[in-house]
C-alpha cells in the first residue's frame, strides 16, 4: 500500500513540476501562432501563479472538510483537465483562462505530500518522502525532454497534452 501511495502521489508531483515549467518552452510558439501582444504574453506567465494564489486560499479548507484524499483527487483532476483544455484552446483568451485553472489545481496538488506523510509507515517515512521529492526533479527533466524532442516535431499542443500524463 505504501509504495502504491508513493507512486500515485509522486506522479502528481511529477505533473506539478511539468505544469510549472511548460510555459517557458511553449510561449515562443504561442506568440508566433497567435500573434499575441506582449501584454498578453505577460499574462501567460502570471495566470498560473494567480490561479495558485486563489487555489491556495481554498484547498486547505476543502481538505479539512472533505479529507486529504478527496482534496488530492480533486486538485489533480482539475489540473489535468485544465491542462488538456489549454492544449486544445482555440484562442489565447481561452488559453489564459485554462492556465489560470491549472494554477488553481496546482495549488492543491501538494496535498498528496501531506496525505503521504500521514499514511506512510513511521519507520520508512523519511526515506519514502525523500524519494517522493525525486518525482518533482523527474518531472522537470521530463519537461525539458518533451520540449526538446516533441515541440519541434509536433508543436506546443502536443507538449501541453503530454505534460498532463503523470497527473
Amino acid at each position: 500500500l505504501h509504495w502504491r501511495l508513493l507512486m500515485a502521489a509522486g506522479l502528481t508531483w511529477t505533473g506539478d513540476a511539468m505544469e510549472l515549467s511548460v510555459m517557458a518552452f511553449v510561449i515562443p510558439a504561442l506568440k508566433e501562432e497567435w500573434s499575441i501582444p506582449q501584454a498578453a504574453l505577460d499574462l501567460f506567465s502570471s495566470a498560473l501563479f494567480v490561479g495558485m494564489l486563489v487555489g491556495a486560499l481554498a484547498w486547505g479548507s476543502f481538505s479539512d472538510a472533505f479529507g486529504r484524499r478527496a482534496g488530492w483527487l480533486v486538485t489533480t483532476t482539475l489540473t489535468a483537465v485544465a491542462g488538456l483544455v489549454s492544449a486544445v484552446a482555440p484562442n489565447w483568451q481561452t488559453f489564459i483562462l485554462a492556465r489560470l485553472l491549472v494554477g488553481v489545481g496546482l495549488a492543491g496538488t501538494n496535498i498528496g505530500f501531506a496525505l503521504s506523510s500521514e499514511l506512510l509507515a513511521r519507520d520508512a517515512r523519511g526515506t519514502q518522502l525523500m524519494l517522493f521529492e525525486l518525482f518533482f526533479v523527474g518531472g522537470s527533466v521530463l519537461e525539458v525532454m518533451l520540449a526538446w524532442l516533441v515541440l519541434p516535431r509536433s508543436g506546443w499542443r502536443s507538449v501541453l497534452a503530454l505534460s498532463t500524463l503523470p497527473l
Side-chain angles (χ1 to χ4, degrees), residues 13-14 129-139:
W13 212 225
T14 299
L129 291 177
M130 187 273 309
L131 292 173
F132 181 88
E133 291 299 327
L134 292 176
F135 282 92
F136 194 89
V137 174

Side-chain angles (χ1 to χ4, degrees), residues 5-84:
L5 173 62
L6 179 69
M7 290 301 294
L11 284 172
T12 301
W13 212 225
T14 299
D16 189 308
M18 294 175 79
E19 289 293 345
L20 278 171
S21 60
V22 69
M23 291 305 297
F25 302 108
V26 301
I27 281 180
L30 293 169
K31 180 180 181 179
E32 184 178 317
E33 182 171 326
W34 284 334
S35 302
I36 301 167
Q38 186 60 46
L41 284 174
D42 295 341
L43 281 174
F44 280 25
S45 299
S46 60
L48 180 85
F49 297 105
V50 170
M52 288 178 77
L53 174 64
V54 171
L57 297 172
W59 293 123
S61 297
F62 181 92
S63 292
D64 288 344
F66 298 102
R68 305 254 185 275
R69 184 174 186 268
W72 172 57
L73 292 173
V74 169
T75 59
T76 301
T77 302
L78 174 61
T79 305
V81 170
L84 288 173

Side-chain angles (χ1 to χ4, degrees), residues 2 28 30 37 41 55 81 84 95 101 112 127 132 145 149 153 155-156:
H2 295 163
L30 293 169
L41 284 174
V81 170
L84 288 173
F95 184 86
L101 291 174
T127 302
F132 181 88
M145 291 174 61
L149 297 171
R153 293 170 181 82
W156 64 269

